[in-house]
Amino acid sequence: MNEVYLYITNLNYIHENEDMIKSFILPLDLEKAKRYKMQDDYLRKLASSYLIKKYTGKDPLYYNQYGKPYKKNICFNVSHSGNYIVLAVSNKEIGIDIEILKDYGLDFVHKILNEDEIKLLDTYHFINFWTAKEAIIKSLGETFPKDIKTLIIKTFDGINEYNNELFYLKQLSLSESWTF
């Protein structure tokens, strides 16, 4: 049985508990976080490291050829946008994406969606397609394909196929301004 657990935090919590989090995460993760020049990026790295260690255990992290972190006996994926950071944990490969709902502009939309998906924009927001595509690519641990339009989203709550693999998508809303 495939189980999925979602853990969400925000930058305010991380900022208020920064000392505790710095003592909890691995020294290597703290050093990586300190490399960020922007305070919010530093806090996002702290948050990601904290969530991963807290909810996936102390086993070491490994990285695939694209830089996606993984552990040997548990699957997880992290996403952040604005003030929110979300960790998805599962017993099978998983990808997650969280985004602020905003206007991305038509040029960007045409780079990401194929013509059939563009026709559906009257019914669905562009961001639903974007988060679905990103979650699938992240579950594979890959970088975005040069032509992301080849990944066709047929449903946001069900099975989609990409490169002869099946992916289950579930669209969730954090609020009226956020989707993942």
Side-chain angles (χ1 to χ4, degrees):
M1 172 176 240
N2 189 24
E3 295 181 353
V4 175
Y5 299 92
L6 300 178
Y7 304 97
I8 301 171
T9 191
N10 63 56
L11 293 185
N12 295 331
Y13 175 84
I14 301 303
H15 181 69
E16 291 167 4
N17 296 281
E18 184 176 346
D19 290 336
M20 178 275 297
I21 290 168
K22 287 179 357 185
S23 68
F24 182 78
I25 66 174
L26 297 172
L28 178 62
D29 288 331
L30 181 56
E31 287 305 312
K32 286 181 181 180
K34 288 179 179 179
R35 293 181 196 153
Y36 290 98
K37 298 192 183 335
M38 303 294 293
Q39 177 71 5
D40 284 354
D41 292 335
Y42 162 78
L43 291 173
R44 285 183 192 102
K45 177 58 181 166
L46 285 183
S48 297
S49 298
Y50 171 71
L51 290 174
I52 290 169
K53 184 175 178 190
K54 182 171 182 175
Y55 296 108
T56 68
K58 297 179 182 180
D59 294 337
L61 280 177
Y62 301 95
Y63 296 87
N64 74 9
Q65 71 267 28
Y66 302 107
K68 180 185 178 182
Y70 69 93
K71 293 191 175 192
K72 289 190 176 181
N73 297 316
I74 192 165
C75 300
F76 66 91
N77 196 238
V78 176
S79 183
H80 53 75
S81 183
N83 287 333
Y84 287 98
I85 301 91
V86 61
L87 169 72
V89 180
S90 179
N91 57 341
K92 294 189 178 182
E93 285 300 329
I94 190 164
I96 191 161
D97 187 42
I98 184 171
E99 296 291 339
I100 300 171
L101 298 177
K102 63 182 181 180
D103 183 4
Y104 284 87
L106 286 177
D107 288 341
F108 188 68
V109 168
H110 284 278
K111 289 179 184 175
I112 304 299
L113 303 185
N114 63 49
E115 291 305 314
D116 290 335
E117 292 168 331
I118 289 171
K119 291 175 190 173
L120 293 174
L121 282 180
D122 292 341
T123 308
Y124 301 104
H125 293 292
F126 163 76
I127 197 68
N128 293 351
F129 286 102
W130 174 255
T131 56
K133 288 182 181 214
E134 187 161 340
I136 289 173
I137 296 301
K138 289 175 74 176
S139 76
L140 294 168
E142 296 179 359
T143 57
F144 268 76
K146 290 183 180 177
D147 189 4
I148 190 68
K149 294 178 186 182
T150 62
L151 190 150
I152 299 168
I153 302 300
K154 294 186 178 180
T155 180
F156 298 109
D157 288 308
I159 303 292
N160 286 271
E161 184 179 349
Y162 178 62
N163 285 349
N164 297 315
E165 290 189 56
L166 299 178
F167 298 88
Y168 180 80
L169 290 176
K170 178 68 179 162
Q171 191 83 40
L172 303 171
S173 294
L174 188 56
S175 72
E176 289 182 13
S177 300
W178 294 84
T179 188
F180 64 101

PDB file of all heavy atoms in Angstrom, residues 32 45 52 60-64 66-71 74-78 93 138 141:
ATOM      1  N   LYS A  32      25.725  24.457   4.336  1.00  0.00           N
ATOM      2  CA  LYS A  32      25.083  24.737   3.044  1.00  0.00           C
ATOM      3  C   LYS A  32      24.127  25.910   3.165  1.00  0.00           C
ATOM      4  O   LYS A  32      24.064  26.772   2.281  1.00  0.00           O
ATOM      5  CB  LYS A  32      24.335  23.496   2.539  1.00  0.00           C
ATOM      6  CG  LYS A  32      25.231  22.413   2.027  1.00  0.00           C
ATOM      7  CD  LYS A  32      24.410  21.228   1.523  1.00  0.00           C
ATOM      8  CE  LYS A  32      25.273  20.110   1.012  1.00  0.00           C
ATOM      9  NZ  LYS A  32      24.477  18.965   0.534  1.00  0.00           N
ATOM     10  N   LYS A  45      16.436  26.711   3.326  1.00  0.00           N
ATOM     11  CA  LYS A  45      17.375  25.590   3.421  1.00  0.00           C
ATOM     12  C   LYS A  45      17.333  24.983   4.820  1.00  0.00           C
ATOM     13  O   LYS A  45      17.327  23.759   4.985  1.00  0.00           O
ATOM     14  CB  LYS A  45      18.799  26.044   3.050  1.00  0.00           C
ATOM     15  CG  LYS A  45      19.841  24.953   3.203  1.00  0.00           C
ATOM     16  CD  LYS A  45      19.531  23.732   2.355  1.00  0.00           C
ATOM     17  CE  LYS A  45      20.580  22.656   2.556  1.00  0.00           C
ATOM     18  NZ  LYS A  45      20.149  21.374   2.015  1.00  0.00           N
ATOM     19  N   ILE A  52      13.365  17.227   6.609  1.00  0.00           N
ATOM     20  CA  ILE A  52      13.895  15.945   6.138  1.00  0.00           C
ATOM     21  C   ILE A  52      14.416  15.121   7.311  1.00  0.00           C
ATOM     22  O   ILE A  52      14.082  13.942   7.457  1.00  0.00           O
ATOM     23  CB  ILE A  52      14.988  16.149   5.064  1.00  0.00           C
ATOM     24  CG1 ILE A  52      14.354  16.678   3.766  1.00  0.00           C
ATOM     25  CG2 ILE A  52      15.746  14.845   4.799  1.00  0.00           C
ATOM     26  CD1 ILE A  52      15.367  17.167   2.754  1.00  0.00           C
ATOM     27  N   PRO A  60      21.765   8.591   6.441  1.00  0.00           N
ATOM     28  CA  PRO A  60      22.464   9.577   5.594  1.00  0.00           C
ATOM     29  C   PRO A  60      21.699   9.867   4.299  1.00  0.00           C
ATOM     30  O   PRO A  60      20.953   9.028   3.805  1.00  0.00           O
ATOM     31  CB  PRO A  60      23.809   8.918   5.302  1.00  0.00           C
ATOM     32  CG  PRO A  60      23.605   7.466   5.560  1.00  0.00           C
ATOM     33  CD  PRO A  60      22.519   7.346   6.579  1.00  0.00           C
ATOM     34  N   LEU A  61      21.943  11.058   3.783  1.00  0.00           N
ATOM     35  CA  LEU A  61      21.392  11.465   2.494  1.00  0.00           C
ATOM     36  C   LEU A  61      22.376  11.094   1.393  1.00  0.00           C
ATOM     37  O   LEU A  61      23.586  11.201   1.561  1.00  0.00           O
ATOM     38  CB  LEU A  61      21.184  12.978   2.442  1.00  0.00           C
ATOM     39  CG  LEU A  61      19.960  13.564   3.094  1.00  0.00           C
ATOM     40  CD1 LEU A  61      19.997  15.082   2.995  1.00  0.00           C
ATOM     41  CD2 LEU A  61      18.688  13.040   2.472  1.00  0.00           C
ATOM     42  N   TYR A  62      21.819  10.683   0.261  1.00  0.00           N
ATOM     43  CA  TYR A  62      22.589  10.456  -0.948  1.00  0.00           C
ATOM     44  C   TYR A  62      21.992  11.363  -2.022  1.00  0.00           C
ATOM     45  O   TYR A  62      20.894  11.890  -1.855  1.00  0.00           O
ATOM     46  CB  TYR A  62      22.502   8.986  -1.380  1.00  0.00           C
ATOM     47  CG  TYR A  62      23.003   8.037  -0.319  1.00  0.00           C
ATOM     48  CD1 TYR A  62      22.118   7.436   0.564  1.00  0.00           C
ATOM     49  CD2 TYR A  62      24.355   7.756  -0.210  1.00  0.00           C
ATOM     50  CE1 TYR A  62      22.573   6.568   1.553  1.00  0.00           C
ATOM     51  CE2 TYR A  62      24.826   6.885   0.773  1.00  0.00           C
ATOM     52  CZ  TYR A  62      23.920   6.301   1.645  1.00  0.00           C
ATOM     53  OH  TYR A  62      24.375   5.448   2.608  1.00  0.00           O
ATOM     54  N   TYR A  63      22.689  11.521  -3.132  1.00  0.00           N
ATOM     55  CA  TYR A  63      22.201  12.386  -4.207  1.00  0.00           C
ATOM     56  C   TYR A  63      22.306  11.656  -5.531  1.00  0.00           C
ATOM     57  O   TYR A  63      23.323  11.021  -5.816  1.00  0.00           O
ATOM     58  CB  TYR A  63      23.009  13.695  -4.256  1.00  0.00           C
ATOM     59  CG  TYR A  63      22.825  14.516  -3.000  1.00  0.00           C
ATOM     60  CD1 TYR A  63      23.622  14.305  -1.892  1.00  0.00           C
ATOM     61  CD2 TYR A  63      21.826  15.472  -2.924  1.00  0.00           C
ATOM     62  CE1 TYR A  63      23.441  15.041  -0.722  1.00  0.00           C
ATOM     63  CE2 TYR A  63      21.630  16.210  -1.768  1.00  0.00           C
ATOM     64  CZ  TYR A  63      22.443  15.987  -0.678  1.00  0.00           C
ATOM     65  OH  TYR A  63      22.251  16.709   0.471  1.00  0.00           O
ATOM     66  N   ASN A  64      21.234  11.772  -6.350  1.00  0.00           N
ATOM     67  CA  ASN A  64      21.290  11.150  -7.670  1.00  0.00           C
ATOM     68  C   ASN A  64      22.073  12.051  -8.624  1.00  0.00           C
ATOM     69  O   ASN A  64      22.568  13.112  -8.225  1.00  0.00           O
ATOM     70  CB  ASN A  64      19.884  10.808  -8.187  1.00  0.00           C
ATOM     71  CG  ASN A  64      19.079  12.015  -8.644  1.00  0.00           C
ATOM     72  OD1 ASN A  64      19.582  13.131  -8.749  1.00  0.00           O
ATOM     73  ND2 ASN A  64      17.816  11.791  -8.927  1.00  0.00           N
ATOM     74  N   TYR A  66      21.188  14.062 -10.789  1.00  0.00           N
ATOM     75  CA  TYR A  66      20.620  15.393 -10.999  1.00  0.00           C
ATOM     76  C   TYR A  66      20.646  16.231  -9.726  1.00  0.00           C
ATOM     77  O   TYR A  66      20.165  17.358  -9.716  1.00  0.00           O
ATOM     78  CB  TYR A  66      19.174  15.275 -11.499  1.00  0.00           C
ATOM     79  CG  TYR A  66      19.066  14.481 -12.777  1.00  0.00           C
ATOM     80  CD1 TYR A  66      18.534  13.204 -12.779  1.00  0.00           C
ATOM     81  CD2 TYR A  66      19.522  15.010 -13.984  1.00  0.00           C
ATOM     82  CE1 TYR A  66      18.444  12.457 -13.948  1.00  0.00           C
ATOM     83  CE2 TYR A  66      19.437  14.276 -15.158  1.00  0.00           C
ATOM     84  CZ  TYR A  66      18.898  13.004 -15.125  1.00  0.00           C
ATOM     85  OH  TYR A  66      18.817  12.277 -16.287  1.00  0.00           O
ATOM     86  N   GLY A  67      21.148  15.664  -8.625  1.00  0.00           N
ATOM     87  CA  GLY A  67      21.232  16.394  -7.371  1.00  0.00           C
ATOM     88  C   GLY A  67      20.050  16.197  -6.441  1.00  0.00           C
ATOM     89  O   GLY A  67      19.976  16.825  -5.392  1.00  0.00           O
ATOM     90  N   LYS A  68      19.105  15.311  -6.806  1.00  0.00           N
ATOM     91  CA  LYS A  68      17.958  15.060  -5.931  1.00  0.00           C
ATOM     92  C   LYS A  68      18.417  14.211  -4.746  1.00  0.00           C
ATOM     93  O   LYS A  68      18.987  13.138  -4.919  1.00  0.00           O
ATOM     94  CB  LYS A  68      16.843  14.317  -6.675  1.00  0.00           C
ATOM     95  CG  LYS A  68      15.637  14.037  -5.775  1.00  0.00           C
ATOM     96  CD  LYS A  68      14.572  13.209  -6.461  1.00  0.00           C
ATOM     97  CE  LYS A  68      13.427  12.924  -5.490  1.00  0.00           C
ATOM     98  NZ  LYS A  68      12.392  12.088  -6.067  1.00  0.00           N
ATOM     99  N   PRO A  69      18.156  14.696  -3.515  1.00  0.00           N
ATOM    100  CA  PRO A  69      18.537  13.904  -2.347  1.00  0.00           C
ATOM    101  C   PRO A  69      17.605  12.708  -2.165  1.00  0.00           C
ATOM    102  O   PRO A  69      16.432  12.762  -2.533  1.00  0.00           O
ATOM    103  CB  PRO A  69      18.391  14.891  -1.187  1.00  0.00           C
ATOM    104  CG  PRO A  69      17.400  15.889  -1.649  1.00  0.00           C
ATOM    105  CD  PRO A  69      17.543  15.973  -3.141  1.00  0.00           C
ATOM    106  N   TYR A  70      18.153  11.632  -1.612  1.00  0.00           N
ATOM    107  CA  TYR A  70      17.331  10.463  -1.316  1.00  0.00           C
ATOM    108  C   TYR A  70      17.954   9.692  -0.155  1.00  0.00           C
ATOM    109  O   TYR A  70      19.115   9.904   0.205  1.00  0.00           O
ATOM    110  CB  TYR A  70      17.156   9.566  -2.541  1.00  0.00           C
ATOM    111  CG  TYR A  70      18.409   8.855  -2.995  1.00  0.00           C
ATOM    112  CD1 TYR A  70      18.697   7.563  -2.549  1.00  0.00           C
ATOM    113  CD2 TYR A  70      19.296   9.462  -3.875  1.00  0.00           C
ATOM    114  CE1 TYR A  70      19.842   6.907  -2.970  1.00  0.00           C
ATOM    115  CE2 TYR A  70      20.447   8.805  -4.294  1.00  0.00           C
ATOM    116  CZ  TYR A  70      20.710   7.538  -3.839  1.00  0.00           C
ATOM    117  OH  TYR A  70      21.838   6.897  -4.246  1.00  0.00           O
ATOM    118  N   LYS A  71      17.147   8.827   0.424  1.00  0.00           N
ATOM    119  CA  LYS A  71      17.605   7.903   1.452  1.00  0.00           C
ATOM    120  C   LYS A  71      17.296   6.501   0.965  1.00  0.00           C
ATOM    121  O   LYS A  71      16.422   6.310   0.128  1.00  0.00           O
ATOM    122  CB  LYS A  71      16.919   8.184   2.788  1.00  0.00           C
ATOM    123  CG  LYS A  71      17.334   9.533   3.364  1.00  0.00           C
ATOM    124  CD  LYS A  71      16.875   9.707   4.781  1.00  0.00           C
ATOM    125  CE  LYS A  71      17.421  11.004   5.334  1.00  0.00           C
ATOM    126  NZ  LYS A  71      17.243  11.103   6.777  1.00  0.00           N
ATOM    127  N   ILE A  74      13.453   5.160   2.269  1.00  0.00           N
ATOM    128  CA  ILE A  74      12.297   6.054   2.345  1.00  0.00           C
ATOM    129  C   ILE A  74      12.375   7.037   1.179  1.00  0.00           C
ATOM    130  O   ILE A  74      13.454   7.447   0.774  1.00  0.00           O
ATOM    131  CB  ILE A  74      12.248   6.789   3.702  1.00  0.00           C
ATOM    132  CG1 ILE A  74      10.914   7.476   3.886  1.00  0.00           C
ATOM    133  CG2 ILE A  74      13.408   7.740   3.869  1.00  0.00           C
ATOM    134  CD1 ILE A  74      10.650   7.909   5.312  1.00  0.00           C
ATOM    135  N   CYS A  75      11.229   7.379   0.630  1.00  0.00           N
ATOM    136  CA  CYS A  75      11.162   8.321  -0.493  1.00  0.00           C
ATOM    137  C   CYS A  75      10.585   9.636   0.003  1.00  0.00           C
ATOM    138  O   CYS A  75       9.643   9.647   0.796  1.00  0.00           O
ATOM    139  CB  CYS A  75      10.287   7.753  -1.607  1.00  0.00           C
ATOM    140  SG  CYS A  75      10.903   6.188  -2.251  1.00  0.00           S
ATOM    141  N   PHE A  76      11.132  10.727  -0.491  1.00  0.00           N
ATOM    142  CA  PHE A  76      10.640  12.040  -0.072  1.00  0.00           C
ATOM    143  C   PHE A  76      10.961  13.072  -1.139  1.00  0.00           C
ATOM    144  O   PHE A  76      11.785  12.840  -2.021  1.00  0.00           O
ATOM    145  CB  PHE A  76      11.246  12.450   1.279  1.00  0.00           C
ATOM    146  CG  PHE A  76      12.735  12.690   1.220  1.00  0.00           C
ATOM    147  CD1 PHE A  76      13.239  13.952   0.948  1.00  0.00           C
ATOM    148  CD2 PHE A  76      13.619  11.647   1.425  1.00  0.00           C
ATOM    149  CE1 PHE A  76      14.608  14.167   0.888  1.00  0.00           C
ATOM    150  CE2 PHE A  76      14.986  11.845   1.363  1.00  0.00           C
ATOM    151  CZ  PHE A  76      15.481  13.112   1.091  1.00  0.00           C
ATOM    152  N   ASN A  77      10.300  14.210  -1.023  1.00  0.00           N
ATOM    153  CA  ASN A  77      10.555  15.333  -1.911  1.00  0.00           C
ATOM    154  C   ASN A  77      10.146  16.605  -1.187  1.00  0.00           C
ATOM    155  O   ASN A  77       9.190  16.600  -0.411  1.00  0.00           O
ATOM    156  CB  ASN A  77       9.784  15.176  -3.217  1.00  0.00           C
ATOM    157  CG  ASN A  77      10.299  16.097  -4.312  1.00  0.00           C
ATOM    158  OD1 ASN A  77       9.549  16.903  -4.839  1.00  0.00           O
ATOM    159  ND2 ASN A  77      11.567  16.001  -4.649  1.00  0.00           N
ATOM    160  N   VAL A  78      10.870  17.679  -1.436  1.00  0.00           N
ATOM    161  CA  VAL A  78      10.632  18.969  -0.781  1.00  0.00           C
ATOM    162  C   VAL A  78      10.339  20.019  -1.836  1.00  0.00           C
ATOM    163  O   VAL A  78      10.910  20.001  -2.925  1.00  0.00           O
ATOM    164  CB  VAL A  78      11.864  19.409   0.042  1.00  0.00           C
ATOM    165  CG1 VAL A  78      11.663  20.789   0.644  1.00  0.00           C
ATOM    166  CG2 VAL A  78      12.187  18.397   1.124  1.00  0.00           C
ATOM    167  N   GLU A  93       8.459   6.324  -4.854  1.00  0.00           N
ATOM    168  CA  GLU A  93       8.967   7.594  -5.377  1.00  0.00           C
ATOM    169  C   GLU A  93       7.853   8.631  -5.392  1.00  0.00           C
ATOM    170  O   GLU A  93       6.717   8.332  -5.750  1.00  0.00           O
ATOM    171  CB  GLU A  93       9.551   7.419  -6.774  1.00  0.00           C
ATOM    172  CG  GLU A  93      10.897   6.744  -6.781  1.00  0.00           C
ATOM    173  CD  GLU A  93      11.969   7.483  -5.991  1.00  0.00           C
ATOM    174  OE1 GLU A  93      11.946   8.720  -5.907  1.00  0.00           O
ATOM    175  OE2 GLU A  93      12.849   6.791  -5.450  1.00  0.00           O
ATOM    176  N   LYS A 138       9.894  15.821 -10.561  1.00  0.00           N
ATOM    177  CA  LYS A 138      10.622  15.683  -9.300  1.00  0.00           C
ATOM    178  C   LYS A 138      10.540  14.257  -8.757  1.00  0.00           C
ATOM    179  O   LYS A 138      11.488  13.776  -8.147  1.00  0.00           O
ATOM    180  CB  LYS A 138      10.096  16.689  -8.280  1.00  0.00           C
ATOM    181  CG  LYS A 138      10.492  18.131  -8.624  1.00  0.00           C
ATOM    182  CD  LYS A 138       9.867  19.127  -7.685  1.00  0.00           C
ATOM    183  CE  LYS A 138      10.537  19.089  -6.341  1.00  0.00           C
ATOM    184  NZ  LYS A 138      10.015  20.119  -5.428  1.00  0.00           N
ATOM    185  N   GLY A 141      13.202  12.394 -10.097  1.00  0.00           N
ATOM    186  CA  GLY A 141      14.530  12.865  -9.722  1.00  0.00           C
ATOM    187  C   GLY A 141      15.305  13.416 -10.892  1.00  0.00           C
ATOM    188  O   GLY A 141      16.522  13.422 -10.901  1.00  0.00           O
TER     189      GLY A 141
END
